Structures are given as C-alpha cells and as structure tokens.
Amino acid sequence: MPFSKHIRKSILPATKDTLQEKDKPDKSEEDALEAVEREALESIGEAYNTLALEFSRAGQYIDAASYFRAGAKAGSQQAQYNLAVCYEHGQGLDTNDKKAAYWYKKAALQGHAMAQYNYAIFHLLGLGIKRNEKEAVHWLNKSANQGLCQAQSYLGSRLIYGPNQDLSKGIDLLKKAVKQKDAEATYRLAMCYEDGIGVAINQAKAVDLYNKAAMNGHSEAQCCMGRFHQLGLGGIPANRTEAKAWFSKASENGNQEAKESLASLRFLESEESFKNVSNLASISLPHCSHSSPNLVSDFGLIDHIGSGDSKPSIWANWPSISYLDLLPSFQKHSQTNSKHLGRSSFQLGDDDNIHTFKENR
C-alpha cells in the first residue's frame, strides 16, 4: 500500500530552516556540557596534583613542580595553590613572586581560602604585585569568611588596633580563631581581657588565654605568664619559681623582654639581704609585650611591613599557611621574605586537609 501524502511529507529531507532549528544546541545543554568538561579537567588536575605530591615526598621537587604546573593549567585549585608555593619558595623552580601571585590569584578566584589569604598578604607587602591595602582587606575578608584562622586572627587584630576600629567584630573574629587554637589570636584576645578592650576586664580569663597561647609556644604569651606569676595576677598566687620558668621558656624562644625580666629576678635573688625583696608584687618589671601593638604604618598597615627580613610582630609566631620550603612544614605566611623561612606545606585536597612534611636541608 503506497504511503499517504501525509506520511511521505513527514519523511522528506529537512529544509535548511528546520535543520537550523533542530540542530541548534539548547542553552541548558551547553551549560551541562561545559560543566562536564570542567569536571573532567579538574579530575585530571587533581590527578596531576596527587602525583606531584608523591614526587615532593621523595624530594624530587623539579618533577613535583612540573606536575603541579600541569594540574594548575588543568584547573585544579589545589595544584594552583601548590604551584604558587613552589614559585614563592623556589622549590623545583626559580623563585618568582610575580608568578606566585598569579597562581595564588587563580586559586583564590576559585575559592581556595589559603590562596586568598596568601594573595592578600602579597598585596600587603607588594610581593610580585603592587601594594594595595584595599585589595588585601577584600581577600582577607573572603578567607576569614571561609573560616581560615590566620585571616580571622589578622583581621580581628586589625579591627581592634587599626585605624578603622570595630571592636565588636574584631573580638568576634579573634574568638573564632581561638576556637581553632590559633596561638596569636589567643594571645591577642588575652590582651583584650586584661586591658578591657572591647570586653569587660577579666584577669582570670586573661591568664587562662595567655596560658593556652603559651603552651602552644607563643613567646609573648609565655612572657605574660611569667609576669602574672611574678605579680600574682589573675587569681594565681605570686610564685617566683613559676615566673622564672615562664621567663626562661620565653627567653629560649627569643623574647628579649623575657630575658630582661629573668635577669631582674635573678638580680633580686642575689640581693636577698634586702628584707622586703620577697614582696615581688611591689616591684615593677617590664610589661612583656603587653601594650597594644602598633599596627599602623605610613601605609596604614601592620608595623614593620616591608622592612626587609624582619617579621611583622603581629605575625611573629603564626603557623602561617603556605609555607613552602617545600616539603618541610606547610603553613603560610607571606608576611616576610619566605626565602629565609624553614617551614612549608602542600595542599593535599580540601582546605582542611593540609599535610606537613619535614626535611633537613
């Protein structure tokens, strides 16, 4: 039986117009294809990053850097971050702050919290890019909003001691960083409780926080613990032996004021013939870095920024985050010239998955 006219018409070759209408990709299909392609590239990038980390563990930094680069170009934010660290610290590649800043920015734009922090510090110090405080604060806020304690600690301190104070927000940021056991934030918050900055004076709370920071190796907090024991503050009894122990620990960590305080106590011990020398509370000794830090320079930034190899005091003991002397113990900073640091780490996966390596170099 012959085809009907209707059926025959339905199988006639499509006209040019119908072809264009039929073959034109749908917008949602385009987006879906792009997403699949992007995910595929990211998977490849993560594979390169994982391989690079294995080379890093083996001390083969040139090969590691090569695979980090391949992963970075494929779009892996972890590989981009690690490649930036390699450029910053000269691991497997020649040191190049400009290229480090470029790759930190790439990872930062993808939401990598540590890259955002490091990119902000590069802006603060003018490493590889022009110094720009506004951009630095922008990226620090992004990083802090993702919960990175280094960014929270810095911004909190800046809002408390900087030119544009916001004590409530500053204290809140410090408390968030303290919950993550950030030693610098713990020390700064203790100062606030001791002096009543943004909070009610509470010496008992102050000594508790100083002790936590001191136990975490913070030299200025250790010095303050020596002072509290020396003078019997915060509800603890005056105890010369405990004071000397804390001053000694702080001195061993390079705290000059602690050295002076320890020397003063030892001098007093040598003068026991003076009847009232045991009343330490009546003797005035150095305040152990307790005064509010000078966070503002002529550029409106932290003290000592850009002063060669000296580290800004606010960052003095931070486990800062990108440190990449490559595989030694990852933490970055960017607050000083990283070429002189001996610690580093690489990003393994998610932002909370940082692996620390140690090596003798």
Side-chain angles (χ1 to χ4, degrees), residues 22 72-73 91 110 122 140 154 174 239 330:
K22 181 179 179 180
K73 290 182 176 179
Q91 294 292 341
Q110 292 200 69
F122 268 49
L140 284 167
Y154 171 73
L174 287 184
N239 187 316
F330 244 1

Side-chain angles (χ1 to χ4, degrees), residues 332-346:
K332 195 174 176 81
H333 75 123
S334 300
Q335 61 265 33
T336 58
N337 188 335
S338 59
K339 303 176 185 66
H340 303 287
L341 299 176
R343 301 170 64 81
S344 63
S345 333
F346 278 122

Side-chain angles (χ1 to χ4, degrees), residues 240 267-280 282-283:
R240 182 188 297 179
F267 174 77
L268 291 176
E269 288 181 329
S270 71
E271 299 294 320
E272 287 294 329
S273 59
F274 293 96
K275 295 182 179 180
N276 296 323
V277 76
S278 61
N279 184 12
L280 294 180
S282 66
I283 299 174

